[in-house]
Every structure is written in structure tokens, then in C-alpha cells.
């Protein structure tokens, strides 16, 4: 299986910034990658996606504040979060559409990293 490991979450004040990172291992090819988030009592929602050709897509609520990007090797994805708001508080999950070394193509998920934005 493909393993995704997130890092960079934490506690920040409103208006602050965080940069999330996700590193993938065990893949031979990664197509799309993305970030999702889930707040307590809410459904998991897509935050941003990026293809291996760097086409990006964002949920309306983060446009202009968040930036998703890929590393040069295309096995990493980042989410730069600026002007954070309390409503951004959630567990953020990394996602990858990837092919494993066993040639299994699937959506793979990281364990999640907590982002908390205080008022």
C-alpha cells in the first residue's frame, strides 16, 4: 500500500499561517493529490486538489488564502494556509490517487493532522 504521512498541523491564532506537508511512500505513480478536512460533527470536505501537472482546485471558502503545491518529485504535497480563521479548525487529511508498487491503483489517505485556529 501507499503510505501518506502528514505534518505541520498545530495551534495558531486567527490570521496566522501554517504549512502542511504530506509525503508519500510505496508508490510508483501518483496522479492527483489533495487535502481534505473534517471538523467535529461535520462531514469531511475537499479543501484543495492538485494534479501531477500542477492543475489546482480549491473549495470556495479557502480561495485566496490557501495554496496547494507539489514537490519536485511529485510524491509530496503541501498546503500553505494563510489568513487562518477559526472555521478552518479541523483534522486535515492528505489524499493521493496513486499506483502502489504492487500495481494497485486506489485513493490513499494519511492519518490526519490537527489544525486549530483560535479566535
Amino acid at each position: 500500500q501507499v503510505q501518506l504521512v502528514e505534518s505541520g498541523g498545530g495551534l495558531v491564532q486567527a490570521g496566522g499561517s501554517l504549512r502542511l506537508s504530506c509525503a508519500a511512500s510505496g508508490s510508483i505513480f501518483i496522479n492527483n493529490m489533495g487535502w481534505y478536512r473534517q471538523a467535529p460533527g461535520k462531514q469531511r470536505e475537499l479543501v484543495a486538489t492538485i494534479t501531477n501537472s500542477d492543475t489546482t482546485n480549491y473549495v470556495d471558502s479557502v480561495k485566496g488564502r490557501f495554496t496547494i503545491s507539489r514537490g519536485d518529485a511529485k510524491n509530496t504535497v503541501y498546503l500553505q494556509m494563510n489568513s487562518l480563521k477559526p472555521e478552518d479548525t479541523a483534522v486535515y487529511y492528505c489524499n493521493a490517487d496513486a499506483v502502489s508498487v504492487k500495481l494497485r491503483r486506489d485513493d490513499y489517505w494519511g492519518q490526519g493532522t490537527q489544525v486549530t485556529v483560535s479566535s
Side-chain angles (χ1 to χ4, degrees):
Q1 292 186 332
V2 176
Q3 183 178 3
L4 305 176
V5 179
E6 302 104 329
S7 62
L11 173 64
V12 297
Q13 293 183 340
S17 297
L18 285 173
R19 190 187 191 216
L20 305 183
S21 299
C22 174
S25 61
S27 67
I28 60 171
F29 180 79
I30 300 176
N31 188 14
N32 298 336
M33 299 187 78
W35 290 95
Y36 293 70
R37 66 187 181 187
Q38 187 168 22
K42 296 184 179 180
Q43 298 294 318
R44 184 175 297 187
E45 68 170 345
L46 187 149
V47 178
T49 60
I50 185 168
T51 69
N52 57 12
S53 60
D54 294 334
T55 299
T56 60
N57 176 258
Y58 300 90
V59 68
D60 286 345
S61 61
V62 308
K63 288 180 179 177
R65 300 188 298 120
F66 291 10
T67 302
I68 189 170
S69 61
R70 297 280 288 269
D72 290 342
K74 303 299 183 183
N75 67 335
T76 56
V77 64
Y78 307 96
L79 187 67
Q80 178 66 47
M81 304 185 294
N82 299 326
S83 302
L84 283 162
K85 304 175 181 179
E87 51 263 44
D88 295 319
T89 295
V91 177
Y92 284 70
Y93 296 91
C94 179
N95 169 263
D97 171 17
V99 178
S100 74
V101 295
K102 295 185 177 181
L103 303 182
R104 178 190 176 99
R105 182 170 183 174
D106 204 351
D107 276 345
Y108 298 91
W109 294 90
Q111 81 288 349
T113 185
Q114 177 70 48
V115 172
T116 302
V117 184
S118 62
S119 301

